[in-house]
Amino acid sequence: MAAIFYPFTILEKYLFVPASESTGLSEDRIRYVFLLFASVLLGLCMKYLLHPSRVNNTARHWYCLGWGLIFGLMCFGFVEMMCLFAVIGICYLFLQIFSPKVVQTYTMVWMLICISVAHIYRLMTDYGGYHLDFTGPLMVIVQRTTYVAFAIHDGMGRDPAQLNEDQRKQQLKQKPYLFEYLSYNFCFLSFLAGPACTYNEYQDFITGANFTSAKLENPNQFAQAKEHVGEPSNLSIVLQKTLSAIFFMILYVVLSSWFPIDIILVDDMNLVKRIAIMFVVGCSIRARYFFVWLMTDSACNAAGLGFSGYSKLGYAQWDLVSCVDIFAIEFGTSVRTMVNGWNITTSNWLRRYE
C-alpha cells in the first residue's frame, strides 16, 4: 500500500498510524479522509495554477490522471489498481472493436459482471467488515464507462431524430483517445467516491468550456450579473461545503463512539428507547455518507468541475455533480423527495439508462 513509495511511507509512519491510534479509526479510513482533504487543495491548485488559459488540455489531463493513480496506489495498492486498469482497458477495447450500434450493450453487461464478481468476492473474504477496497471506485467506473459507451451509441449508432435533448447534448461523434479515457476514469477529484459526470461534462471542465459557454438570460436584470464577467469565484462554495463536511465528520465520530451500531441488538431495552437509539444510529450512518459526498463535491468545485450555469437571479450554481441534498433527506415530506436527494448522480445515471 503506502509503502510502495518513500513519501507514502513517511505519511504512514508519522500521520496515518498515529492518527489511527489516537482516534480508534482504522488506518485505511484515516488515509481515505486525508486524501479527501488533499483533493480539495489539489483541486484549488488546478483551478488557479493549471487554468485552461495557462496550460493546454494535455497538462490538465495529466494532472487529473497522475494524482488519481497516486491516490489509488495509496488507498488500494498495486494489485487492486491493476484490476481496475484491466476492467477499464477491456471497456476501451470494446469501443474499438464493436459497432456503435451494440457497444453500449457489451459494455454494460461486462461492467455489471465485474461489479457483481467484486462484491461477491468481498462478501466471501470480508463478510460483515468495512475494509476500504477497490469496489468503491469500481461502482463509479461502472457509470463512467457506460456513459462513454452510450454517448458513442447515441452519436455514431443512432438516428439523430430519435435522440432527446439530453442525448443530443451528451453524444460523442468520435471515440475518445485512450489517454483522455483514462483521465476521465481515474480523475483524482472523484476517483475515490464519485461523483460521476458524463464524458462531455468532464471534457468541458478540462477545456474550460463549462464557464465560457454559460450565459445569463438577461444580464441587465440581475444583481449578480457582474459574476458573468470572467469566471465566477468558487472559493465561497468550496469553503461552505468543506466546513459542512467537517461538521458531519465530527458528528459521525462522536455519535458512532457513543452509539455503536451493535447497541440496537441489546435485549434489555424498551421499545421507545430502542426507536430513539435507532434514530441516532441512523443519523450517525448518514453523517458518514454526507461527509464523503460533500468533500468530493467540494474537491470538484475547487478545480472548477460542477459549475452548472447561472440561476434566474444571476447567481453562479455549483450543483452539477452534487451527490446529496441534505435538506431533502432530513426534512423531506415524502419518500420520493428523500430518495431523490440521496446519491443524486447515480440516480441521474439510472434515469438516463433505465
Side-chain angles (χ1 to χ4, degrees):
M1 294 229 178
I4 296 176
F5 298 112
Y6 182 71
F8 300 172
T9 308
I10 298 298
L11 284 173
E12 184 165 358
K13 180 179 180 180
Y14 294 103
L15 179 60
F16 301 148
V17 173
S20 176
E21 293 174 350
S22 61
T23 61
L25 298 175
S26 61
E27 187 181 328
D28 59 341
R29 294 190 187 187
I30 296 294
R31 187 186 300 112
Y32 190 82
V33 170
F34 170 82
L35 292 177
L36 289 176
F37 280 101
S39 65
V40 176
L41 297 177
L42 292 170
L44 288 171
C45 291
M46 183 176 185
K47 176 71 165 63
Y48 294 101
L49 300 181
L50 296 176
H51 191 273
S53 62
R54 294 172 177 264
V55 299
N56 57 30
N57 297 340
T58 301
R60 286 170 63 82
H61 275 302
W62 269 116
Y63 188 83
C64 291
L65 174 59
W67 279 112
L69 296 178
I70 291 173
F71 279 21
L73 289 171
M74 290 184 68
C75 259
F76 313 116
F78 181 79
V79 174
E80 294 188 8
M81 284 296 290
M82 288 300 100
C83 292
L84 294 178
F85 256 108
V87 170
I88 293 171
I90 290 176
C91 286
Y92 189 78
L93 182 63
F94 285 172
L95 299 181
Q96 308 305 314
I97 64 176
F98 290 122
S99 165
K101 294 181 180 296
V102 298
V103 67
Q104 81 286 357
T105 301
Y106 286 100
T107 302
M108 179 67 83
V109 170
W110 164 246
M111 290 308 302
L112 291 180
I113 291 174
C114 289
I115 195 67
S116 299
V117 170
H119 280 299
I120 292 172
Y121 176 77
R122 180 188 175 107
L123 287 174
M124 295 172 60
T125 58
D126 190 31
Y127 183 79
Y130 201 78
H131 176 72
L132 290 170
D133 63 8
F134 74 104
T135 55
L138 184 59
M139 288 187 284
V140 183
I141 289 171
V142 169
Q143 298 177 46
R144 291 187 178 129
T145 52
T146 51
Y147 265 143
V148 175
F150 274 94
I152 290 175
H153 172 65
D154 292 337
M156 303 171 63
R158 294 180 65 186
D159 182 354
Q162 298 177 343
L163 305 180
N164 60 37
E165 182 179 353
D166 181 68
Q167 290 169 337
R168 285 193 293 271
K169 182 179 179 180
Q170 305 302 338
Q171 66 178 325
L172 291 175
K173 292 295 186 180
Q174 62 180 20
K175 299 174 183 178
Y177 294 110
L178 177 59
F179 172 59
E180 297 171 338
Y181 191 72
L182 292 175
S183 171
Y184 171 59
N185 280 285
F186 285 106
C187 176
F188 75 95
L189 297 170
S190 55
F191 173 66
L192 296 179
C197 61
T198 68
Y199 184 78
N200 279 343
E201 290 167 347
Y202 180 75
Q203 283 294 95
D204 287 345
F205 153 69
I206 290 293
T207 62
N210 58 335
F211 292 112
T212 58
S213 62
K215 303 293 183 181
L216 284 168
E217 296 179 10
N218 189 345
N220 296 324
Q221 294 182 0
F222 304 127
Q224 298 298 318
K226 60 183 180 180
E227 282 194 334
H228 192 56
V229 180
E231 295 180 5
S233 174
N234 63 343
L235 296 180
S236 61
I237 193 67
V238 170
L239 181 62
Q240 174 188 327
K241 292 180 179 180
T242 302
L243 291 178
S244 298
I246 292 173
F247 167 77
F248 284 110
M249 178 184 68
I250 296 173
L251 184 65
Y252 165 68
V253 172
V254 172
L255 291 182
S256 62
S257 62
W258 290 351
F259 301 93
I261 192 170
D262 55 2
I263 196 174
I264 63 178
L265 302 177
V266 175
D267 294 329
D268 56 339
M269 188 185 303
N270 62 56
L271 180 61
V272 175
K273 184 177 181 180
R274 188 181 299 276
I275 291 175
I277 290 179
M278 288 178 66
F279 175 79
V280 175
V281 170
C283 290
S284 170
I285 294 173
R286 291 197 301 277
R288 179 176 63 196
Y289 287 95
F290 292 164
F291 161 68
V292 173
W293 282 334
L294 285 170
M295 283 302 301
T296 56
D297 193 10
S298 178
C300 290
N301 293 168
L305 177 60
F307 175 69
S308 57
Y310 297 91
S311 68
K312 291 183 179 180
L313 296 179
Y315 292 95
Q317 296 179 305
W318 293 88
D319 57 0
L320 181 66
V321 293
S322 296
C323 281
V324 64
D325 183 344
I326 297 174
F327 186 85
I329 293 170
E330 299 297 334
F331 303 102
T333 56
S334 67
V335 174
R336 179 182 177 86
T337 301
M338 291 185 284
V339 170
N340 287 341
W342 183 267
N343 206 354
I344 297 172
T345 54
T346 298
S347 297
N348 293 337
W349 174 74
L350 289 172
R351 290 191 182 99
R352 280 182 166 118
Y353 307 123
E354 60 182 356

